[in-house]
Amino acid sequence: YDVHAVLTRLGRVTERPHLFYHASLLKGQDPNAVALADGRVYITNGMLNYLASRGSHDEELAVILAHELGHTAAQHLVKRYQQAQQQQLALMLVGLGGAIAASQTGAPVGQLAQDVASMIANVANSNYSQDQELEADQLGVRYLIRAGYDPYAAPRFLNAFGQLDTPNIGFLRTHPYSQRRAEDLLRYLEELRLRGQLRARGA
């Protein structure tokens, strides 16, 4: 795979075309990819091996990279960092309030308050991350269209990739299930088609 060629082609059609987009290989068997806010994209051996095992061509690689560039363009990593800072402050205040209440009543409510606040933060983080994943999917589809790739390759890939999903409590997952992402993308593509921003398949 000429990862740099695909990445460059996609990078030109993002909302941040002037970033220096650069791909690096990560050693790891899990099929994964990640993007940083400055244009660096990392993709694992496992992901490239997975694509090769499917006989994939550049189109499915473009699906993965376009999704990651969606994270970069939307500055998701920066937003997650800012949210984490705010939650740390909130947890400190909850812990302080619990400690004051415990000292006044003698009841062991400080740790309970901290645990509840931590659980709420985890759920909020999870939902925030899922929203980001769905946004990156939609941005990625837009980049595929602009760069001349088949946008329907994205839901096709996600449906296949869903076979690797592991069962987990939905609202505590950082990523939505791949099948849900595929269904959301098909609805989004239909919206684009109805707006006249996308030709129907086979047209």
Side-chain angles (χ1 to χ4, degrees):
Y1 297 103
D2 193 343
V3 179
H4 280 287
V6 176
L7 185 64
T8 300
R9 179 174 165 182
L10 290 165
R12 292 192 188 113
V13 299
T14 68
E15 292 78 9
R16 306 179 72 198
H18 304 300
L19 274 184
F20 174 64
Y21 293 101
H22 180 78
S24 297
L25 186 66
L26 278 181
K27 291 183 180 178
Q29 293 309 306
D30 287 337
N32 210 343
V34 66
L36 302 185
D38 61 2
R40 283 178 289 172
V41 178
Y42 297 88
I43 189 164
T44 64
N45 300 73
M47 181 60 85
L48 295 180
N49 291 338
Y50 173 75
L51 292 176
S53 73
R54 286 176 45 75
S56 299
H57 300 290
D58 281 354
E59 205 134 67
E60 288 195 339
L61 173 63
V63 168
I64 296 160
L65 295 177
H67 171 86
E68 295 305 327
L69 292 186
H71 284 304
T72 297
Q75 293 286 280
H76 284 160
L77 200 62
V78 174
K79 291 173 183 175
R80 288 295 298 276
Y81 176 71
Q82 290 170 342
Q83 190 197 36
Q85 285 185 314
Q86 291 169 356
Q87 286 181 344
Q88 281 299 108
L89 176 61
L91 286 173
M92 268 178 36
L93 292 174
V94 168
L96 179 61
I100 292 170
S103 68
Q104 291 175 345
T105 64
V109 296
Q111 187 58 48
L112 176 62
Q114 188 79 29
D115 292 343
V116 169
S118 182
M119 184 184 73
I120 292 171
N122 285 336
V123 172
N125 265 335
S126 175
N127 290 335
Y128 190 62
S129 178
Q130 289 197 27
D131 288 342
Q132 287 184 338
E133 292 302 323
L134 296 173
E135 182 183 17
D137 281 342
Q138 292 187 3
L139 287 170
V141 158
R142 287 186 224 169
Y143 305 154
L144 292 174
I145 294 169
R146 293 174 193 166
Y149 292 104
D150 176 13
Y152 289 95
R156 284 199 303 270
F157 174 77
L158 286 169
N159 273 322
F161 197 67
Q163 297 175 10
L164 303 180
D165 277 347
T166 53
N168 202 343
I169 301 173
F171 67 87
L172 288 179
R173 291 171 58 88
T174 56
H175 285 57
Y177 284 110
S178 297
Q179 183 178 358
R180 180 199 160 189
R181 292 170 62 191
E183 291 168 355
D184 283 354
L185 275 186
L186 285 172
R187 282 193 293 270
Y188 181 64
L189 287 166
E190 180 62 12
E191 288 173 15
L192 293 181
R193 188 188 68 78
L194 292 173
R195 289 184 218 150
Q197 298 172 355
L198 176 69
R199 289 187 303 173
R201 278 185 280 189

